[in-house]
Amino acid sequence: MKLKIAFDIAKTHLLTKKKQTLVAMMGVTFGIAMFIVMISFMQGVNQFLEDSALDASPHVRIYKQITSDRPSLIQQQNPDGFNVIYHQKPRQELAKIKNGLVIARHIEQQPEVLGVSPQVSTQVFFNTGSVPIPATLAGVDVQREEKLYRLSQRMKAGKIEDLMANANGVILGRLLARKLNLGVGDKVNVTSSTGGTSLLRVVGIFSFGIQTVDDARGYVNTPKVQELIQKDANYITDLHIKMKDPLKAIAFGKELARQYDYRVEDWAMANAAILAGEQIRNVMTFVVSFTLLVVAGFGIYNIMNMNVMNKIKDIAILKATGFDGQDVVAVFMIQSVIIGLMGALLGVIIGFSLSYLLSITPFAAGDFLSIDTFPVKFDPKFYLLGVIFGVITTLLAGYFPSRKAAKIDPVAILRG
Amino acid sequence: MKNIPYSERATILKATNVNKFFLDPVKFQVLKDISFEVKKGEFLSIVGKSGCGKSTLLYILSTMDTAYDGLLEMNGKSLTGLTQNQLAAFRNEHLGFVFQFHFLLPEFTALQNVMLPGLKLGKFSSKEIEERAYQKLKLVDMHEHALKPSSKLSGGQQQRVAIARALINDPTIVMGDEPTGNLDKANSDMVYSIFRDISHNNGQTIITVTHDPDFAEGGDRIIEMSDGHIISHGHEKTVQ
C-alpha cells in the first residue's frame, strides 16, 4: 500500500517531465547498448580465434624433443667435480616415439578422448622450377585425421578419399598450392632434409583459414613420408589427440606427461599468444564497459540530483503531511529503477540490433583468417548481464540523491 | 463544543518550558520558557510582531522542528524525543497544515493532492478516500475543480484545496502559518469560516499564526508573543 503511493507519485513525476526522463533513460540505453555490442564482439573474436586455433591444432600433442640439454658423460661420472663442457651438441637420435602406435591405441581407449592421430612429420622442399619452397609434410592416416579435424569440410578442391586411393597423393594447403601454382591433378617433386626425393600428385587442396597452416602444410599417407625419409613403418614422430571436452586437455596432458617420457604440449601452451590476446580483450571489454556504465550512472545521478532539487518543496510538503524518510526514498528510488529498467530494456534491443548489423557487416581479413563478416557472439547471458548492470548502476546512482531527499528538513523549506 | 465550559474541556496540546536557540550565526534564544495549553475545539491565534518567535513556535508544535528543549504533549501523548518516522506518522494522523503559500504538489490534480495524506494513512480503501476527498473539496467549494491540475488553480483556490488536504484525515489539530497571508478579502473570509466551522462543529482544534487582526479577533483566543515570550495568554471569549 505504501509502495503503491510512492509508485504513483514517482510515475507522475516521470510522466510530467517526459523529456528529462527520456534523457536519463538514453544515458542508460546508450551505456547498455554499447556494453552489449562490445562484449558480443569481443567474445565473438575470442571464440572465433579459439575455435580456429582449436580446430586446426590438436588438444594435446606428444612428440619427442631433440635437445642438447642433457647430462654429459663426465657429469654422470664425476657429479661433484668442477666440470666444464663447451658446445655440447644434440646427440644423434631419432625424433621417433617408440611404440607410437601402441601408445596411440592405449590413449584412444580413454573415455574422454575423441581420437588420436599418429603422424610422421618432416620438413621438405617443394621444387617448382628452380626455387625450393619449404613446407612441412605430415604423413597421416587420413581417416583418423578426418575424425580429429573434420578435414573433409575444409577441402577447397578434391576429396580426402582420393588420398587413400593414391599412394603418391598429397593434399596441399590453399596458400601453399597458390604459391606453387598447383591445382588438383598436377605433379610436384619434393625433397626431404635427408635427401630422399619423391614425385607427388596433388589430389586436393584444404584451407583451415589459418595462414601458418594453409601456407606451409601438406598431407600425405604415412608410408609415403616414412619412405621419403627412409624409415620403417613404426616410425611415428607425433601423436595428435583430440578430447571430447577441450578444457580437460590440460589435466589429461599432465597425466600423459607423467606416463610417457616424451614432450606433451596442450592447446593452451601451443596457443599461448591467442590466450594472452583473449585475456587482453577481456580486460579491455571490462574496462570499457565499466566506464560506459559509470558514465551512464553519473548521468542518472545528475538528473536525479536535479530532480530532487526541483522537487524540494514537494518533498517538504510530503513530509509535513506525514510521509516519512523511507517514503521519500521510495519515491525517488522507484523513479531511478523505472529509468534504469526501461533504459536497460531499450539498450538491450538497440544492443542486439547493432550486434546483428555488425555480424552481417562484410569484413575482409585477407588470407590471414577465413572470415567473411565480423565475428559476433550472441549469448543471452550478455543481455541479462547488461540489464543487471543497468539496474544496479541506476540503483546506486539513484540511492544518494534519494538519501539526500529523505534528509531534507521541511521546516527550512516551508518557512522560506 | 458550545455548551461545555472552557475549563472543563479536554486539553489537546500542552507545551511545557519550551526553549529554542538559533545557533547560527550567533547563539540566540528565540523562545524563552514557553508554556501553554490548548483545549479541544479551540480556535487559537498566535500573534506578535515579525521575529517574535511565533512561527518558530508553530513549527515546533507541528513536530517538524525537533531541535528544542522542553516538553510537548498532544492528544495526551508526549512527542518529545520520538523518532522522525514516529513523528511523521503522528503528523499524518493527527495534524493538518495550511501554509501561507498554498504548497500543493503541482503535478497532481486537486483531488490527488487532497487524497495523498489519506492514502498514506491507509485507514480507508482508496475508493473511500476519494469519496472523502470529494466531501472535503465540497466543504471548501472546490469540488468542481477536483480534476484540474493544481498548477492551473488560482492562489485562493489552491489555498482552499490545501485546507481540504489538511482535513482529509480528520486531524485533531489543524495548524496554519499565516493561512490568509496571501489571500484577498473574499478568500480570507472563506478560510476563516471553514476554520470556524470545523472548530465549532467538529471539535477540531485550530492553531494559527497570523498577522491578520480580523482573523485573530474572530477566533476563540489570542496568544500574544513578544521577543520569545508569551506576553498574553488571552482569555476564552464568549461564543455566540
Side-chain angles (χ1 to χ4, degrees), chain A residues 98-332:
Chain A
K98 276 181 196 149
N99 289 327
L101 294 171
V102 178
I103 295 172
R105 239 192 330 272
H106 178 243
I107 293 172
E108 204 157 29
Q109 278 158 10
Q110 310 284 327
E112 62 265 48
V113 174
L114 181 72
V116 182
S117 171
Q119 306 197 350
V120 197
S121 106
T122 187
Q123 299 297 319
V124 295
F125 288 109
F126 284 89
N127 302 308
T128 169
S130 60
V131 183
I133 290 183
T136 307
L137 212 51
V140 296
D141 176 342
V142 83
Q143 272 173 322
R144 285 172 180 261
E145 201 70 6
E146 161 71 11
K147 194 170 172 190
L148 261 68
Y149 299 119
R150 284 172 290 141
L151 201 56
S152 58
Q153 288 175 26
R154 303 175 191 280
M155 299 301 289
K156 297 284 166 193
K159 289 201 294 282
I160 56 165
E161 287 80 15
D162 296 343
L163 187 64
M164 287 187 279
N166 191 340
N168 288 325
V170 63
I171 300 176
L172 291 178
R174 185 170 60 92
L175 300 175
L176 183 60
R178 193 200 285 169
K179 212 153 55 173
L180 294 165
N181 196 20
L182 293 173
V184 173
D186 294 343
K187 285 181 182 169
V188 62
N189 209 357
V190 293
T191 311
S192 78
S193 54
T194 50
T197 62
S198 182
L199 189 65
L200 300 176
R201 181 187 288 275
V202 180
V203 296
I205 290 171
F206 73 86
S207 171
F208 273 111
I210 298 174
Q211 192 187 23
T212 46
V213 176
D214 293 350
D215 194 32
R217 192 185 288 178
Y219 286 111
V220 293
N221 293 307
T222 313
K224 192 73 210 166
V225 180
Q226 287 162 346
E227 175 200 315
L228 197 64
I229 54 176
Q230 294 132 36
K231 294 289 186 294
D232 60 274
N234 283 326
Y235 187 84
I236 296 295
T237 60
D238 285 81
L239 291 176
H240 285 191
I241 302 164
K242 275 271 185 189
M243 312 293 294
K244 283 171 184 149
D245 176 7
L247 295 177
K248 287 196 178 137
I250 293 156
F252 189 68
K254 285 203 177 98
E255 199 180 310
L256 289 180
R258 268 201 306 278
Q259 284 176 24
Y260 305 109
D261 189 23
Y262 293 106
R263 175 117 176 114
V264 178
E265 191 183 71
D266 58 52
W267 61 269
M269 266 192 263
N271 298 299
I274 288 180
L275 291 177
E278 198 165 294
Q279 255 166 18
I280 290 168
R281 274 188 298 277
N282 282 344
V283 170
M284 214 164 76
T285 311
F286 175 75
V287 168
V288 173
S289 311
F290 186 73
T291 313
L292 283 170
L293 291 171
V294 166
V295 170
F298 268 103
I300 296 177
Y301 174 79
N302 272 333
I303 286 175
M304 286 311 291
N305 240 345
M306 235 165 62
N307 200 2
V308 167
M309 294 319 282
N310 287 339
K311 291 275 177 288
I312 203 159
K313 269 187 166 182
D314 295 23
I315 296 164
I317 300 168
L318 285 174
K319 285 188 138 187
T321 53
F323 287 80
D324 55 38
Q326 286 149 4
D327 294 322
V328 176
V329 168
V331 167
F332 288 95

Side-chain angles (χ1 to χ4, degrees), chain A residues 1-2 5 9 12-13 16 311 313-314 317-327 409-411 414-415, chain B residues 22 55-56 59 64-65 85 88-89 91-92 97 99 103-108 116-117 119-120 122 124 165:
Chain A
M1 186 64 199
K2 255 168 105 180
I5 318 171
I9 297 175
T12 310
H13 280 179
T16 44
K311 291 275 177 288
K313 269 187 166 182
D314 295 23
I317 300 168
L318 285 174
K319 285 188 138 187
T321 53
F323 287 80
D324 55 38
Q326 286 149 4
D327 294 322
D409 176 14
V411 180
L414 296 175
R415 290 198 65 169
Chain B
F22 283 161
S55 280
T56 306
Y59 282 101
M64 284 188 268
D65 188 351
N85 286 356
R91 280 201 292 278
N92 185 232
F97 295 97
F99 305 99
F103 291 124
L104 298 178
L105 304 184
E107 295 94 345
F108 295 83
L116 271 175
L119 291 169
K120 166 65 188 167
F124 302 101
R165 182 184 62 194

Side-chain angles (χ1 to χ4, degrees), chain B residues 83-145:
Chain B
T83 67
Q84 288 294 344
N85 286 356
Q86 286 169 322
L87 290 173
F90 182 85
R91 280 201 292 278
N92 185 232
E93 190 171 356
H94 297 290
L95 300 182
F97 295 97
V98 182
F99 305 99
Q100 183 175 5
F101 303 104
H102 28 83
F103 291 124
L104 298 178
L105 304 184
E107 295 94 345
F108 295 83
T109 64
L111 183 68
Q112 284 171 320
N113 264 290
V114 177
M115 284 173 70
L116 271 175
L119 291 169
K120 166 65 188 167
L121 184 63
K123 216 161 94 182
F124 302 101
S125 73
S126 51
K127 191 98 195 113
E128 284 169 295
I129 292 168
E130 193 176 330
E131 218 162 272
R132 290 167 60 83
Y134 260 114
Q135 283 169 19
K136 302 295 176 196
L137 282 170
K138 203 160 201 168
L139 191 69
V140 297
D141 197 23
M142 282 295 295
H143 53 286
E144 280 164 24
H145 305 284

Side-chain angles (χ1 to χ4, degrees), chain B residues 6-240:
Chain B
Y6 183 72
S7 56
E8 284 172 25
R9 292 193 200 169
T11 300
I12 207 78
L13 182 147
K14 188 175 175 187
T16 316
N17 299 330
V18 171
N19 285 290
K20 163 91 183 169
F21 296 89
F22 283 161
L23 298 174
D24 204 40
V26 286
K27 193 166 174 180
F28 168 71
Q29 189 164 10
V30 214
L31 297 178
K32 296 162 185 164
D33 253 357
I34 302 283
S35 298
F36 69 102
E37 287 185 5
V38 185
K39 302 285 187 191
K40 184 165 165 45
E42 199 173 356
F43 187 159
L44 174 75
S45 296
I46 303 174
V47 299
K49 297 206 165 61
S50 289
C52 70
K54 58 187 190 305
S55 280
T56 306
L57 177 62
L58 187 77
Y59 282 101
I60 288 173
L61 299 182
S62 79
T63 73
M64 284 188 268
D65 188 351
T66 51
Y68 62 91
D69 303 325
L71 292 172
L72 183 61
E73 215 178 85
M74 269 185 239
N75 228 5
K77 188 177 180 190
S78 172
L79 297 177
T80 309
L82 293 187
T83 67
Q84 288 294 344
N85 286 356
Q86 286 169 322
L87 290 173
F90 182 85
R91 280 201 292 278
N92 185 232
E93 190 171 356
H94 297 290
L95 300 182
F97 295 97
V98 182
F99 305 99
Q100 183 175 5
F101 303 104
H102 28 83
F103 291 124
L104 298 178
L105 304 184
E107 295 94 345
F108 295 83
T109 64
L111 183 68
Q112 284 171 320
N113 264 290
V114 177
M115 284 173 70
L116 271 175
L119 291 169
K120 166 65 188 167
L121 184 63
K123 216 161 94 182
F124 302 101
S125 73
S126 51
K127 191 98 195 113
E128 284 169 295
I129 292 168
E130 193 176 330
E131 218 162 272
R132 290 167 60 83
Y134 260 114
Q135 283 169 19
K136 302 295 176 196
L137 282 170
K138 203 160 201 168
L139 191 69
V140 297
D141 197 23
M142 282 295 295
H143 53 286
E144 280 164 24
H145 305 284
L147 298 178
K148 276 193 192 170
S150 56
S151 53
K152 296 268 162 65
L153 300 175
S154 76
Q157 288 173 324
Q158 291 205 29
Q159 190 61 302
R160 274 141 64 188
V161 174
I163 292 170
R165 182 184 62 194
L167 300 177
I168 184 72
N169 287 340
D170 292 330
T172 325
I173 307 174
V174 176
M175 295 188 183
D177 184 8
E178 312 251 10
T180 57
N182 245 11
L183 302 181
D184 60 8
K185 186 82 175 74
N187 275 307
S188 292
D189 289 348
M190 177 144 202
V191 169
Y192 170 76
S193 63
I194 294 164
F195 279 9
R196 180 87 269 178
D197 178 53
I198 59 172
S199 73
H200 282 234
N201 299 330
N202 292 1
Q204 285 166 289
T205 306
I206 311 282
I207 302 174
T208 58
V209 160
T210 183
H211 274 124
D212 181 345
D214 294 343
F215 188 89
E217 283 299 325
D220 296 336
R221 184 157 72 105
I222 298 173
I223 285 182
E224 207 176 335
M225 284 184 69
S226 174
D227 201 15
H229 293 285
I230 293 181
I231 53 171
S232 160
H233 282 273
H235 47 80
E236 173 75 345
K237 282 185 288 187
T238 0
V239 180
Q240 302 82 352

